[in-house]
Amino acid sequence: MANGSVKENMIIAGRKIIMRKFLVTGLMVTLILALASCSSGNRMPNDASSPSQSAVNSANGPASTANVTQPSASGVISGDYDSSDSDSSFDSASLSNIILKGNSITLDGRGAIVNGSTITITSAGTYSISGTLNNGQIKVETNDKETVKLVLNGVDISCSTSAPIYIISAKKTVITLADGTENKLTDGDSYIFEDAASDEPNAAIFSCGDLTINGNGSLTVKANYNNGIQSKDDLKIVSGNISVNAINDGIKGRDCITVRGGNVTVNAGADGLQSTNNEDPERGYIAIQGGTLNITAGLDGIQAATSLEISGGKIVISSGGGSVNSSRKIGTPGNTWGNWGNTRPGTTAAASNYAPSAKGLKAEISISITGGTIVIDSSDDSVHANSSIKISGGNITMSSGDDGIHADSSIEINGG
């Protein structure tokens, strides 16, 4: 009986040891699985498999698009420049001269058609434009694949019913500001459209194709109707002294805006710089790599439909009247942020579709700052992204009437 009791005790003890081994093994497997789950579940917001937030409070901006990835800093976000973007030179012997004479235009060369106070450029090539045009227009309408270069060689153009420069069709147009020249463009406060169903053009310089501005001269744009400078494709600023005063948006590029140099001053009733293409994750971005920008905006200082990247330059922004005009003071008499439900400036949008936003830097997906000097005085958030913000360089000073830095998914600061 004693031997049987010992055997039974030994069997029971052995079973307990085996059970402990299974329990420890099970705990180890569970821990490994849990760690693996944490690793895969906490991807950075710009990981291709990580969806962006699908909805945010309207006061912080519209909802971002789900499953949209941020363009990489080394890829499309940096912008694509070719030799025609940087080349501000021109051969006087091989170009066509367009001479503006008040109410008439003289063409010395070929590639364009003159009709009273309107000239339409129909062929690719280089055109030097000089003189004063009262209530006239420069049009570009060509199907050529080569670039159209417009050299503004001291012009003063006004057009009371449309855009002073209207690029209807061209693969690419380069506006070169000739060295040492002053150039002025002014539109009226109402446009007459050729097609009653159309709302184009709606900017003092309006391009349906890619548009680049270079040269070392100056350009002053006074936009009394709507936007200042606008492209429906890419808009690039390489150099020049550019001043834009616009009742609505200052500088607008649907697919992208890239700034590599120049001195740019914008006074806008709505957004200072704005890209709008939120349908393509590789478009709708703004990249600022150099230059000096001074922006005073009634709404957002710089707004990108997808991503905003700043790697250089000097940027000074005042939005919404500055931090003293806090966006949190809703309902305060005389405070613009009490005007919820009003139509957006320069549009006839339904009141229910608009809530004001006056952020300094704003992107619907992500913001990356790797360099540059940035000074922001904003009534709304100073730096705002509907997904992620990453700061790894630069010198940034912010004064905000709301949040200093706001992201709906993640904020990473490892430099600057």
Side-chain angles (χ1 to χ4, degrees):
M1 293 296 293
N3 290 336
S5 180
V6 170
K7 287 182 180 179
E8 288 177 1
N9 289 336
M10 290 177 66
I11 292 171
I12 292 171
R15 286 174 179 173
K16 288 182 177 180
I17 292 170
I18 293 171
M19 288 178 67
R20 288 195 188 101
K21 288 183 178 180
F22 277 124
L23 178 61
V24 171
T25 302
L27 288 172
M28 291 177 67
V29 171
T30 302
L31 179 60
I32 290 169
L33 290 174
L35 289 172
S37 175
C38 289
S39 176
S40 62
N42 289 323
R43 299 180 187 271
M44 292 301 293
N46 54 354
D47 189 302
S49 64
S50 175
S52 59
Q53 185 164 330
S54 60
V56 295
N57 187 286
S58 61
N60 288 329
S64 58
T65 305
N67 299 318
V68 175
T69 58
Q70 176 189 1
S72 66
S74 61
V76 68
I77 191 69
S78 297
D80 297 321
Y81 292 90
D82 59 31
S83 58
S84 66
D85 294 314
S86 303
D87 185 10
S88 60
S89 64
F90 53 93
D91 183 359
S92 300
S94 61
L95 52 73
S96 295
N97 286 289
I98 298 172
I99 303 169
L100 312 176
K101 298 182 176 180
N103 297 318
S104 64
I105 301 172
T106 298
L107 172 64
D108 180 11
R110 58 184 182 177
I113 300 171
V114 177
N115 182 12
S117 60
T118 298
I119 185 167
T120 303
I121 295 169
T122 58
S123 300
T126 302
Y127 300 83
S128 174
I129 309 171
S130 61
T132 299
L133 185 61
N134 301 320
N135 200 21
Q137 189 175 50
I138 309 295
K139 289 184 177 180
V140 176
E141 191 168 7
T142 175
N143 294 320
D144 293 348
K145 299 300 181 183
E146 294 78 17
T147 298
V148 174
K149 176 178 277 192
L150 305 179
V151 180
L152 300 188
N153 208 348
V155 302
D156 188 344
I157 304 172
S158 63
C159 187
S160 63
T161 58
S162 188
I165 296 180
Y166 181 18
I167 303 164
I168 301 169
S169 61
K171 179 68 175 178
K172 181 177 184 177
T173 302
V174 175
I175 295 177
T176 295
L177 309 175
D179 293 357
T181 63
E182 295 183 3
N183 304 279
K184 300 177 181 179
L185 304 173
T186 307
D187 67 3
D189 58 8
S190 63
Y191 279 16
I192 297 175
F193 300 106
E194 295 180 3
D195 181 357
S198 175
D199 60 353
E200 296 178 357
N202 62 352
I205 298 178
F206 186 91
S207 176
C208 291
D210 293 343
L211 177 64
T212 297
I213 301 176
N214 65 24
N216 296 313
S218 69
L219 172 64
T220 300
V221 176
K222 179 65 175 176
N224 298 298
Y225 172 67
N226 197 35
N227 303 324
I229 301 173
Q230 180 171 347
S231 168
K232 292 181 69 176
D233 287 331
D234 297 352
L235 199 162
K236 304 173 186 177
I237 298 175
V238 176
S239 57
N241 298 296
I242 301 167
S243 177
V244 178
N245 289 274
I247 193 170
N248 193 45
D249 299 324
I251 298 175
K252 190 169 185 172
R254 181 178 184 272
D255 285 348
C256 74
I257 297 174
T258 60
V259 180
R260 198 166 74 175
N263 295 293
V264 181
T265 301
V266 175
N267 285 279
D271 296 336
L273 272 64
Q274 183 194 72
S275 67
T276 59
N277 188 344
N278 59 4
E279 300 172 358
D280 183 345
E282 293 189 346
R283 315 305 291 171
Y285 64 86
I286 296 177
I288 299 173
Q289 302 154 339
T292 299
L293 291 89
N294 287 281
I295 300 170
T296 302
L299 298 179
D300 297 321
I302 300 177
Q303 184 196 98
T306 55
S307 299
L308 168 61
E309 181 181 280
I310 299 172
S311 57
K314 181 178 180 180
I315 303 167
V316 178
I317 295 174
S318 174
S319 64
S323 55
V324 296
N325 192 29
S326 173
S327 60
R328 293 190 176 276
K329 297 178 182 178
I330 297 173
T332 302
N335 190 288
T336 58
W337 308 117
N339 296 330
W340 290 82
N342 285 358
T343 57
R344 178 181 172 87
T347 72
T348 57
S352 60
N353 294 333
Y354 174 64
S357 167
K359 297 166 176 63
L361 303 176
K362 177 182 174 181
E364 300 301 332
I365 298 179
S366 64
I367 293 175
S368 171
I369 301 174
T370 60
T373 300
I374 304 167
V375 179
I376 300 173
D377 185 16
S378 60
S379 66
D380 207 337
D381 300 345
S382 286
V383 180
H384 176 102
N386 284 0
S387 183
S388 64
I389 294 171
K390 183 176 182 179
I391 300 172
S392 56
N395 190 336
I396 308 167
T397 303
M398 294 173 282
S399 179
S400 173
D402 201 341
D403 299 338
I405 302 175
H406 178 116
D408 290 337
S409 288
S410 69
I411 298 171
E412 179 183 344
I413 300 175
N414 53 35

